[in-house]
């Protein structure tokens, strides 16, 4: 092998080594991530972040095709901190997750409004306070919002209905008050899930919600009242409906339920009327109408008899299996 060939091979090896060791992560993103790490007091889950390494290889970080940070996930840590405002300085971020950080406090920082490519905002099981931010409506690419299991207060911003791609809204287990916004009936697309349970929401459900075909809706354990029949409909594709432990009052006798429904929790309200025969056509997996003011014979057939008396107890005058025979 000639000297020229050997020199060329050495040069190629050197170039290859240099290329492999090159930091693919954008320097601005790396600097921002290191600021976030410092602001959060070097949490255990990301203590391995080394400035000498390519940040696209760091734990909890993912980069896209242009080697810009597109995902940041900090979860399951006992870090005591607030969400650093620097998260808004990751301009290509699509997925932001701070989850199961019980000592993560403070409000959701307004700098998040700068993340114009954000698709998912998952901030659940923390101790965040303050309102559900109005600025979220500026993030037109948001598909998933999960702010559940926090200490958020105030009303739900009606402007969330302006999000054209929103598919999933989870605000359960906070301290939210006021009514469900009237504008929620004007979501731009079919919403997969709306979860507002375990809050202190009050007032009537907007009739406009009847315009939506929601796959899963959970309004349980609030102080909602009045009519909720608009949420039902034989032509809808709903699977789960949970209205339990509110103060709803409407007659269910003529309520048609989609055959796709398999989870129906209506207990602990003020519902009146009789259980419709049409409900025997449902493939119910979970069903409860106890603690209402229902009357009449429980229709025979379908899945209604596979549930024990607990699903029917404490009504005005329901009778028939699995309760006592009608007189």
């Amino acid at each position: 092998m000639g000297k020229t060939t050997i020199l060329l091979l050495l040069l190629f090896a050197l170039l290859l080594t240099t290329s492999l060791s090159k930091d693919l992560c954008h320097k601005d993103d790396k600097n921002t991530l290191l600021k976030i790490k410092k602001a959060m007091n070097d949490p255990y889950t990301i203590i391995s972040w080394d400035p000498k390494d390519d940040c696209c290889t760091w734990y909890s970080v993912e980069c896209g095709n242009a080697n810009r940070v597109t995902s940041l996930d900090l979860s399951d840590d006992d870090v005591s901190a607030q969400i650093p405002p620097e998260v808004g300085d990751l301009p290509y971020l699509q997925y932001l997750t701070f989850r199961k950080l019980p000592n993560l406090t403070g409000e959701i920082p307004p700098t998040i409004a700068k993340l114009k490519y954000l698709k998912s905002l998952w901030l659940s099981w923390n101790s965040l306070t303050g309102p559900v931010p109005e600025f979220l409506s500026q993030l037109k690419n948001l598909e998933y919002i999960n702010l559940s299991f926090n200490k958020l207060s105030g009303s739900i911003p009606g402007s969330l209905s302006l999000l054209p791609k929103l598919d999933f809204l989870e605000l359960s287990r906070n301290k939210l008050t006021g009514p469900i916004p009237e504008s929620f009936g004007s979501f731009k697309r079919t919403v997969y899930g709306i979860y507002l349970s375990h809050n202190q929401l009050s007032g009537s459900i907007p009739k406009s919600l009847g315009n939506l075909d929601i796959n899963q809706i959970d309004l349980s354990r609030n102080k909602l009242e009045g009519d909720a029949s608009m949420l039902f409909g034989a032509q809808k594709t709903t699977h789960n409906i949970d209205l339990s432990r509110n103060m709803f009052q409407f007659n269910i006798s003529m309520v048609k339920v989609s055959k796709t429904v398999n989870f129906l929790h209506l207990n602990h309200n003020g519902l009146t009327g009789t259980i419709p025969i049409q409900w025997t056509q449902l493939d119910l997996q979970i069903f409860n109408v106890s603690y209402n003011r229902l009357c009449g014979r429980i229709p025979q057939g379908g899945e209604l008899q596979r549930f024990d008396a607990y699903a029917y107890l404490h009504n005005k005058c329901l009778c028939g299996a699995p309760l006592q025979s009608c007189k």
Side-chain angles (χ1 to χ4, degrees):
M1 186 180 295
K3 289 184 178 180
T4 304
T5 305
I6 293 173
L7 286 172
L8 286 172
L9 286 172
L10 289 171
L11 180 61
F12 177 75
L14 180 63
L15 289 171
L16 182 63
T17 303
T18 304
S19 174
L20 290 174
S21 63
K22 184 180 179 183
D23 195 344
L24 298 177
C25 174
H26 193 282
K27 61 180 177 58
D28 291 344
D29 289 355
K30 173 179 274 192
N31 290 335
T32 296
L33 289 170
L34 290 173
K35 289 178 182 177
I36 291 171
K37 181 173 183 275
K38 182 179 180 181
M40 298 191 73
N41 305 310
D42 294 324
Y44 178 77
T45 50
I46 58 173
I47 202 168
S48 62
W49 287 4
D50 188 335
K52 298 176 185 177
D53 298 333
D54 178 3
C55 79
C56 289
T57 67
W58 287 353
Y59 183 76
S60 298
V61 175
E62 292 182 16
C63 294
N65 294 332
N67 296 314
R68 300 302 301 260
V69 173
T70 56
S71 175
L72 177 61
D73 181 347
L74 302 180
S75 302
D76 295 289
D77 203 306
D78 62 357
V79 57
S80 295
Q82 297 188 4
I83 298 176
E86 287 86 357
V87 295
D89 297 328
L90 295 169
Y92 291 88
L93 201 64
Q94 297 178 31
Y95 304 92
L96 178 60
T97 302
F98 286 88
R99 189 172 64 92
K100 291 190 176 181
L101 307 173
N103 297 313
L104 187 71
T105 59
E107 298 191 6
I108 300 171
T111 52
I112 287 177
K114 296 192 292 182
L115 302 174
K116 62 181 180 179
Y117 295 111
L118 197 66
K119 294 180 179 180
S120 170
L121 182 65
W122 193 349
L123 308 177
S124 65
W125 293 86
N126 302 305
S127 295
L128 300 175
T129 54
V132 176
E134 190 83 41
F135 64 72
L136 293 182
S137 63
Q138 301 172 33
L139 300 171
K140 301 304 182 184
N141 285 301
L142 267 181
E143 300 171 4
Y144 179 95
I145 298 175
N146 189 338
L147 309 180
S148 62
F149 290 88
N150 279 290
K151 300 175 182 178
L152 301 176
S153 58
S155 58
I156 300 173
S159 58
L160 294 180
S161 64
L162 299 174
L163 293 169
K165 299 180 180 180
L166 190 65
D167 195 44
F168 187 100
L169 178 63
E170 167 63 284
L171 302 178
S172 297
R173 294 185 183 264
N174 280 287
K175 299 178 180 180
L176 302 175
T177 56
I180 297 173
E182 180 71 36
S183 61
F184 270 28
S186 59
F187 276 104
K188 304 298 182 185
R189 53 165 294 152
T190 300
V191 180
Y192 177 82
I194 295 179
Y195 305 88
L196 307 177
S197 72
H198 293 77
N199 279 290
Q200 299 164 27
L201 301 176
S202 58
S204 301
I205 293 181
K207 290 183 178 179
S208 60
L209 273 188
N211 299 331
L212 300 181
D213 187 4
I214 308 171
N215 187 284
Q216 302 188 24
I217 184 164
D218 185 354
L219 307 180
S220 62
R221 293 181 183 265
N222 281 288
K223 301 175 183 178
L224 298 166
E225 59 188 33
D227 188 8
S229 62
M230 78 290 290
L231 299 176
F232 300 88
Q235 305 306 314
K236 296 191 177 187
T237 58
T238 310
H239 279 80
N240 297 353
I241 301 176
D242 192 344
L243 307 180
S244 62
R245 297 182 183 272
N246 279 285
M247 298 183 287
F248 290 121
Q249 296 184 20
F250 60 96
N251 190 318
I252 69 168
S253 302
M254 303 300 292
V255 170
K256 302 286 188 185
V257 177
S258 170
K259 292 182 180 180
T260 57
V261 169
N262 52 40
F263 182 109
L264 189 57
H265 258 318
L266 304 177
N267 52 291
H268 290 83
N269 280 289
L271 307 185
T272 58
T274 58
I275 297 175
I277 294 176
Q278 186 257 344
W279 290 16
T280 62
Q281 302 172 19
L282 307 180
D283 183 20
L284 294 168
Q285 305 300 313
I286 296 177
F287 176 74
N288 197 330
V289 291
S290 64
Y291 291 89
N292 280 290
R293 300 205 297 263
L294 302 176
C295 261
R297 183 186 300 274
I298 298 171
Q300 301 296 299
E303 303 292 332
L304 293 181
Q305 274 66 52
R306 70 182 284 258
F307 302 99
D308 59 23
Y310 174 78
Y312 299 96
L313 289 175
H314 298 282
N315 273 285
K316 190 175 181 180
C317 48
L318 273 183
C319 60
L323 299 179
Q324 292 183 349
S325 300
C326 299
K327 296 179 180 179

